Amino acid sequence: MYNYPYHNVSQMHVFPTPNYPMIQSTYPQGIPSFHPNYHWYSYPTYRQYPDVDPTLFNESAIEMQKLMNDASIVLKRIAESKDFAKKVMSAAQESHLQEVDRLIQSTGIKSKVETSFNPDGINMTFKSKVGQTDCCKLTVALLWRG
């Protein structure tokens, strides 16, 4: 640790900089501002923030609950029916994307789902809109081979 000889308050130097109204340092002028013991004192700034409107945020949360419910329906079906899981895996292995989508939609969900798969698993992305705005997306990734 480097001991700097100017530790007495009477030796403190004060000088202005362009970005801050005042810098107080126990070091003489000429020591770079990135020195680890360099002390910065700034004055608080106050900003005016616009009023917030939580309407879209609230509606997005409501839509996300629906997506989570639909994802839960699909996951329950896969978990409870090995036959259904086997059909989804077989269709994916044969690259029948439309059949995979049909099987997932056959669970009774109302959300739009985009699926993608690879040799290791499947990704299901549930999407929803509020009006014309894409508000939320829930992606579920399941592994079927390690």
Side-chain angles (χ1 to χ4, degrees):
M1 177 83 181
Y2 179 73
N3 291 324
Y4 202 78
Y6 300 106
H7 293 287
N8 188 335
V9 176
S10 64
Q11 296 171 325
M12 186 182 306
H13 295 277
V14 178
F15 52 97
T17 64
N19 296 332
Y20 292 87
M22 191 68 63
I23 294 179
Q24 296 180 355
S25 173
T26 56
Y27 303 99
Q29 292 181 10
I31 298 294
S33 62
F34 54 83
H35 192 279
N37 291 328
Y38 204 76
H39 302 286
W40 292 86
Y41 296 96
S42 63
Y43 299 99
T45 57
Y46 299 98
R47 291 174 128 179
Q48 289 291 340
Y49 294 102
D51 289 338
V52 295
D53 180 8
T55 304
L56 180 60
F57 190 39
N58 178 267
E59 291 172 352
S60 294
I62 292 168
E63 289 299 315
M64 182 58 79
Q65 287 178 326
K66 293 176 186 176
L67 294 181
M68 291 177 71
N69 186 45
D70 282 351
S72 180
I73 291 169
V74 172
L75 292 173
K76 183 176 180 181
R77 180 77 183 271
I78 291 170
E80 292 178 351
S81 173
K82 283 193 176 185
D83 183 52
F84 180 77
K86 184 176 180 179
K87 287 179 184 177
V88 172
M89 289 179 67
S90 296
Q93 183 178 9
E94 295 169 10
S95 297
H96 295 313
L97 181 59
Q98 291 177 344
E99 179 63 12
V100 172
D101 289 340
R102 188 195 66 75
L103 287 166
I104 290 172
Q105 289 295 142
S106 74
T107 60
I109 62 172
K110 294 175 179 54
S111 302
K112 179 182 176 188
V113 182
E114 291 181 3
T115 57
S116 64
F117 37 83
N118 57 43
D120 297 329
I122 187 170
N123 293 325
M124 297 174 284
T125 303
F126 297 80
K127 295 182 176 184
S128 187
K129 291 184 176 188
V130 171
Q132 297 300 319
T133 305
D134 291 332
C135 68
C136 25
K137 181 174 23 173
L138 176 66
T139 301
V140 177
L142 294 174
L143 189 66
W144 56 40
R145 186 171 80 182

